Amino acid sequence: MPLPKQKIYTIDDIYKLPEGHRAELIDGHIYDMAPPNRRHQQILSFLHLEIGNYVRDNNGSCEVYPAPFAVFLNEDDSTYVEPDISVICDRNKLDDRGCNGAPDWIIEIVSPGSKRMDYYTKLSLYRSASVREYWIVDPLKQTIVVYDMEHDDGPVLHSFTDTITANIYGNLKIDFSKLPL
């Protein structure tokens, strides 16, 4: 007996979800997203401010977007993600819907339900889409894993006591010891 055929979803299906229902689409499969907790949002706010202030203070051309922000990694309609932080330096990739193509730098903050997705599925997805740099911030382990995919380096493990240099900038240093508790 043949196995039942799984439904393949598209970006249109994501946009048909009820208001407030957050989900991502990877290779035609929908993955529901749980609401972030307070610690997740503290880290997101801290990183968004650090990166945004750096870009502003250095008259940078990159734009920084916190989630929810739509990223359409591929030209097909089978993948839609909402990274916690997306840094896009090519403004031609931006339109009113979000980012079309790979952001230069993506940061994901691990939640209890997103570990496998952030450490494995998204790492592979972002690498194949040519994201230049990918950080995985894990509040429970108090670690940051940095992948410099532009130079095929990786991974480098840091702790919440370290100051980390963003590879795409070189002189942007984020001191995680200043992260609010």
Side-chain angles (χ1 to χ4, degrees), residues 142-177:
Q142 295 192 349
T143 59
I144 305 96
V145 182
V146 175
Y147 291 89
D148 179 359
M149 296 190 270
E150 181 177 35
H151 299 104
D152 210 19
D153 292 346
V156 178
L157 183 64
H158 298 275
S159 77
F160 276 23
T161 59
D162 293 341
T163 298
I164 304 171
T165 302
N167 295 302
I168 70 165
Y169 290 116
N171 58 351
L172 166 57
K173 297 177 185 328
I174 298 177
D175 183 354
F176 274 81
S177 70

Side-chain angles (χ1 to χ4, degrees), residues 11 15 63 65 68-75 80 88 90-101:
I11 291 168
Y15 281 103
E63 295 195 25
Y65 294 94
F69 180 72
V71 174
F72 307 94
L73 286 173
N74 307 318
E75 290 185 19
Y80 163 97
I88 298 104
D90 179 355
R91 292 183 184 199
N92 291 322
K93 292 181 179 180
L94 297 169
D95 64 20
D96 288 342
R97 288 184 358 152
C99 178
N100 298 290

Side-chain angles (χ1 to χ4, degrees), residues 2 18-19 48 55 58 69 75 81 108 141-142 151 169 172:
E19 184 74 26
H48 181 241
V55 170
N58 290 279
F69 180 72
E75 290 185 19
V81 292
E108 293 286 6
K141 294 180 182 177
Q142 295 192 349
H151 299 104
Y169 290 116
L172 166 57

Side-chain angles (χ1 to χ4, degrees), residues 1-54:
M1 177 197 279
L3 294 174
K5 190 172 183 176
Q6 287 187 330
K7 179 169 174 45
I8 300 299
Y9 295 93
T10 68
I11 291 168
D12 288 340
D13 294 309
I14 289 288
Y15 281 103
K16 290 176 185 172
L17 292 173
E19 184 74 26
H21 183 135
R22 289 190 57 212
E24 294 179 306
L25 178 70
I26 298 175
D27 296 329
H29 299 282
I30 292 180
Y31 296 90
D32 290 327
M33 298 169 65
N37 64 28
R38 184 177 147 270
R39 183 67 176 145
H40 181 282
Q41 293 304 95
Q42 277 183 317
I43 295 168
L44 176 71
S45 295
F46 171 78
L47 290 170
H48 181 241
L49 283 171
E50 291 288 309
I51 298 165
N53 288 341
Y54 171 85

Side-chain angles (χ1 to χ4, degrees), residues 79-91:
T79 301
Y80 163 97
V81 292
E82 291 184 3
D84 289 311
I85 295 181
S86 301
V87 178
I88 298 104
C89 300
D90 179 355
R91 292 183 184 199

